[in-house]
């Protein structure tokens, strides 16, 4: 359950429409919850079956099941926002895929699969959202990135490269969107306590716990904490922030 929202933020997204990818669980679900609680209309996109539960929890949220690596999913999602709510103001590019393999064991299929979700899919949604926001007179695009975009991660060649690509895409969107009133920012998240790794590592719980001590705060992030930063960057409170890579990594990259 989402905790009480401070009065100053309670309606900051009133009348605005947001599209969230990877919305069914983890950071995506927390972001949907915050946007919804603060007054936004939400279109939630995911390929996982948990999307049905999200629809039940937030009955007025539009849910769309689809593969974000396909152009037609992005087109359909943005069209849904425009046709249902009259436009699109916020895109949260949150869907992601990870992979932990040494470089010598990473196959072409591995590489392409990670890039397809983290970079190509994000590009498709950003492009379609950009077009809709231009017609709207502005908007905010926020992406869930990673500290691995700027520091290396052993056994993370595909993942780190994909997040680096997402960071650079964010900067280009900021440059092209500035005069159009479109802001673009990225949250470079540290390790988050979710089930993100479950499909890739049999020891995902112990692997996740091993990261606690390498963060100066002595723990990994909770999904809500990253969702709060995403929502801040999507809100009018960050109106002069664009092209930024904002670290929310527990101090991991401070050294």
């Amino acid at each position: 359950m989402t905790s009480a929202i401070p009065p100053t933020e309670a309606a900051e997204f009133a009348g605005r429409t947001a599209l969230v990818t990877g919305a069914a669980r983890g950071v995506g679900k927390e972001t949907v919850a915050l946007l919804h609680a603060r007054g936004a209309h939400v279109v939630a996109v995911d390929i996982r079956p948990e999307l049905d539960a999200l629809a039940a929890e937030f009955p007025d949220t539009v849910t769309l099941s689809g593969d974000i690596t396909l152009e037609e999913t992005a087109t359909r999602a943005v069209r849904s926002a425009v046709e249902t709510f009259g436009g699109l103001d916020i895109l949260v590019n949150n869907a992601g895929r990870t992979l932990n393999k040494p470089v010598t064991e990473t196959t072409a299929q591995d590489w392409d699969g990670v890039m397809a979700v983290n970079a190509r899919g994000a590009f498709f949604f950003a492009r379609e959202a950009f077009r809709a926001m231009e017609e709207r007179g502005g908007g905010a695009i926020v992406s869930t990135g990673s500290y691995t975009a700027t520091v290396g991660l052993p056994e993370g060649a595909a993942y780190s490269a994909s997040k680096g690509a997402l960071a650079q895409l964010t900067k280009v969107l900021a440059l092209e969107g500035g005069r159009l009133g479109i802001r673009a920012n990225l949250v470079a998240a540290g390790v988050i306590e979710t089930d993100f790794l479950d499909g890739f590592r049999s020891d995902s719980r112990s692997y996740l716990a091993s990261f606690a001590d390498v963060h100066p705060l002595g723990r990994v992030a909770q999904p809500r904490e990253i969702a709060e930063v995403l929502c801040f960057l999507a809100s009018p409170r960050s109106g002069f922030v664009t092209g930024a890579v904002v670290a929310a990594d527990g101090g991991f990259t401070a050294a």
Side-chain angles (χ1 to χ4, degrees), residues 108-125:
Q109 184 177 9
D110 290 334
W111 180 274
D112 291 344
V114 174
M115 285 291 182
V117 175
N118 297 352
R120 187 176 70 190
F123 164 71
F124 289 152
F125 273 83

Side-chain angles (χ1 to χ4, degrees), residues 37 83 136 161 163 232 240 246:
E83 292 180 352
R136 188 82 152 174
K163 290 302 186 178
F232 168 71
F240 200 61
V246 178

Side-chain angles (χ1 to χ4, degrees), residues 17-156:
T17 299
L19 194 166
V20 182
T21 69
R25 61 188 185 186
V27 172
K29 183 177 180 180
E30 290 291 339
T31 302
V32 170
L34 288 174
L35 289 166
H36 181 270
R38 295 172 184 176
H41 301 299
V42 181
V43 176
V45 181
D46 210 309
I47 201 168
R48 299 184 181 93
E50 293 95 330
L51 194 64
D52 293 336
L54 188 75
E57 188 171 351
F58 306 106
D60 53 345
T61 292
V62 173
T63 56
L64 189 153
S65 180
D67 182 348
I68 72 153
T69 69
L70 303 177
E71 287 183 275
E72 68 92 16
T73 303
T75 301
R76 185 159 51 101
V78 172
R79 183 187 303 125
S80 178
V82 172
E83 292 180 352
T84 306
F85 301 117
L88 180 65
D89 305 287
I90 297 163
L91 168 66
V92 181
N93 255 332
N94 173 70
R97 179 177 176 179
T98 190
L99 179 74
N100 293 90
K101 277 190 177 182
V103 170
T104 55
E105 296 177 16
T106 300
T107 66
Q109 184 177 9
D110 290 334
W111 180 274
D112 291 344
V114 174
M115 285 291 182
V117 175
N118 297 352
R120 187 176 70 190
F123 164 71
F124 289 152
F125 273 83
R127 183 186 65 190
E128 297 309 309
F130 203 95
R131 291 167 174 167
M133 290 174 182
E134 185 174 1
E135 293 182 5
R136 188 82 152 174
I141 298 173
V142 190
S143 297
T144 304
S146 170
Y147 70 96
T148 64
T150 55
V151 299
L153 177 69
E155 301 188 353

Side-chain angles (χ1 to χ4, degrees), residues 121-222:
F123 164 71
F124 289 152
F125 273 83
R127 183 186 65 190
E128 297 309 309
F130 203 95
R131 291 167 174 167
M133 290 174 182
E134 185 174 1
E135 293 182 5
R136 188 82 152 174
I141 298 173
V142 190
S143 297
T144 304
S146 170
Y147 70 96
T148 64
T150 55
V151 299
L153 177 69
E155 301 188 353
Y159 183 73
S160 295
S162 70
K163 290 302 186 178
L166 184 57
Q168 290 304 105
L169 172 63
T170 296
K171 292 178 180 295
V172 173
L173 292 171
L175 292 173
E176 293 190 15
R179 301 291 181 178
L180 302 173
I182 300 171
R183 297 185 299 112
N185 294 289
L186 179 138
V187 177
V191 179
I192 309 165
E193 188 173 346
T194 70
D195 55 6
F196 190 54
L197 291 171
D198 287 354
F200 301 93
R201 293 185 69 104
S202 59
D203 63 339
S204 60
R205 294 295 94 187
S206 59
Y207 181 74
L208 181 67
S210 72
F211 277 95
D213 289 340
V214 301
H215 292 70
L217 289 182
R219 62 179 179 85
V220 298
Q222 294 300 307

